[in-house]
Amino acid sequence: MARRLSITLPAALTLAAALSATPAHARTQQPGPGSGLGLENCTAGACHFEVPPGTYDVRVRLGGEAAASTGISGETRRTLLAETPTGAGEPVTRGFTVNVRTPEGEPTGPDGTAGFDLVVGGSAPALADIRVTPAAGRHTRQVFLVGDSTVCDQPGDPYSGWGQQLPQFLRKGLSVANYADSGESTVSYLADPRLFATVQPLIRKGDLVLIQLAHNDKQTDEPTYRANLETLVAGVREKGGRPVLVTPIVRRWFNADGTLNNDTALLVNGLGVDHPAVTRSVAAAHDVPLIDLTTRTKALVESLGVEGSKALYLYNEKRDNTHTSAQGATAYAGLVRDELLAQGLVPERLVR
């Protein structure tokens, strides 16, 4: 019965009110992992599912009698479904796959809330139905992310890493397992048992592992930086995964002529190590796919100019030219999506 409810939020009939009309046994029933979880696990604007860590498929039906616009986020502020408009009486169904883990955000951060949490948002949200089921293992691939604070699931507004925004560009059958962590370099990511030593055993054949580490390698010499990237690549391949090297996003640091052609912007450290150049070299030497995010983000920032590019970063809020806003993280995640698709790293049917 609960699965047939049509709910518009906020409205005179809220999800909480609708559930109050549902028989008590339907509201309190906790289905087993194989039977699915639906609207009985939701209250106004949010859903909580008591499930163990794992990978879950989510199917939602959006819309109702009135025109609506609905987006869905989950866990540590991950954008799982971009805001989706629906016409009056024209509901749509969307599906996506979510990685649920502990800790639910940064690997060295707090555990977060047990289970699986979703937030229903948007300018005029309408959730008609929701169904959560464990993902079928052999049909689901993971995109693991190894990175720093420009990639991670940032816990607090206004910060956002591009990995936090990547899920909205992927469809059911492909989930993002974001193990990026603030403050990490190639040295610390390999040394901390909560990081690569935790990620590596989870990698299965066919999984992608995107590696973007450079911002915190300020004192790492070139031989060490190169060797660390090679170690990460070999570790992924050892488990049957496919490594993808990603050059770092630029810092928003302009020259007087409006370009970013300087060491600060292009991630050349105090020892003269050109991180993007070394990353490109390792990719070429070891036949590793490369997403040149340095080049792509440089072109975008320069095209927007000194003023227009401020919104991509946290300049206005924090005078921060390194970390991205939700707008910037979404734009950069879109660039990653474009490269994954253009290079055939993910099939078109799994990309939005």
Side-chain angles (χ1 to χ4, degrees), residues 150 215 248-255 258-267 294 297-325 328 332:
T150 66
H215 279 272
I249 68 169
V250 293
R251 294 190 179 100
R252 185 190 160 276
W253 198 267
F254 282 93
N255 298 325
T259 68
L260 300 178
N261 296 319
N262 60 76
D263 289 355
T264 299
L266 299 181
L267 281 295
T294 306
T297 56
K298 178 178 183 291
L300 177 57
V301 171
E302 288 180 342
S303 72
L304 293 172
V306 174
E307 290 302 317
S309 62
K310 287 179 178 178
L312 297 179
Y313 291 81
L314 296 175
Y315 179 85
N316 294 324
E317 299 87 349
K318 304 284 186 179
R319 294 297 187 268
D320 186 334
N321 292 307
T322 297
H323 297 97
T324 49
S325 63
Y332 291 175

Side-chain angles (χ1 to χ4, degrees), residues 153-166:
D153 287 348
Q154 288 281 359
D157 197 42
Y159 293 89
S160 183
W162 62 254
Q164 201 163 21
Q165 301 297 333
L166 185 61

Side-chain angles (χ1 to χ4, degrees), residues 18-272:
L19 291 177
S20 69
T22 305
H25 73 274
R27 295 199 305 274
T28 59
Q29 182 182 10
Q30 295 295 324
S35 59
L37 297 156
L39 282 175
E40 67 273 12
N41 295 273
C42 301
T43 58
C47 303
H48 175 75
F49 304 94
E50 289 289 348
V51 296
T55 305
Y56 294 88
D57 290 333
V58 181
R59 186 189 69 208
V60 294
R61 192 168 74 249
L62 308 176
E65 295 182 1
S69 187
T70 312
I72 296 179
S73 60
E75 296 296 89
T76 304
R77 303 176 59 242
R78 305 177 211 163
T79 303
L80 301 172
L81 186 67
E83 189 161 344
T84 303
T86 49
E90 298 177 347
V92 300
T93 299
R94 296 287 186 268
F96 49 89
T97 301
V98 182
N99 171 255
V100 177
R101 61 183 183 272
T102 303
E104 70 176 41
E106 296 180 87
T108 65
D111 284 354
T113 305
F116 175 28
D117 290 284
L118 294 175
V119 175
V120 182
S123 57
L127 174 66
D129 189 23
I130 185 167
R131 170 72 66 174
V132 175
T133 55
R138 69 180 186 278
H139 299 301
T140 301
R141 294 173 62 193
Q142 300 267 34
V143 178
F144 288 93
L145 303 182
V146 167
D148 52 36
S149 59
T150 66
V151 184
C152 75
D153 287 348
Q154 288 281 359
D157 197 42
Y159 293 89
S160 183
W162 62 254
Q164 201 163 21
Q165 301 297 333
L166 185 61
Q168 66 185 293
F169 295 109
L170 304 178
R171 298 178 185 271
K172 178 183 173 183
L174 187 60
S175 69
V176 176
N178 190 353
Y179 283 83
D181 196 72
S182 293
E184 306 301 343
S185 65
T186 57
V187 176
S188 63
Y189 205 93
L190 286 167
D192 192 324
R194 295 170 294 181
L195 299 172
F196 193 64
T198 295
V199 174
Q200 190 187 26
L202 303 175
I203 300 169
R204 296 183 302 178
K205 185 176 181 179
D207 288 339
L208 294 179
V209 183
L210 277 56
I211 302 165
Q212 186 216 281
L213 288 166
H215 279 272
N216 300 300
D217 280 281
K218 298 180 178 67
Q219 299 301 319
T220 309
D221 61 47
E222 184 168 333
T224 301
Y225 184 67
R226 180 181 297 273
N228 288 344
L229 291 180
E230 291 172 338
T231 296
L232 289 165
V233 166
V236 172
R237 285 177 166 166
E238 180 184 326
K239 294 298 182 178
R242 188 172 190 188
V244 180
L245 288 173
V246 182
T247 60
I249 68 169
V250 293
R251 294 190 179 100
R252 185 190 160 276
W253 198 267
F254 282 93
N255 298 325
D257 63 359
T259 68
L260 300 178
N261 296 319
N262 60 76
D263 289 355
T264 299
L266 299 181
L267 281 295
V268 179
N269 75 9
L271 302 178

Side-chain angles (χ1 to χ4, degrees), residues 1-7 39 61 128-129:
M1 178 171 130
R3 294 196 296 275
R4 296 190 180 91
L5 292 173
S6 180
I7 308 302
L39 282 175
R61 192 168 74 249
D129 189 23

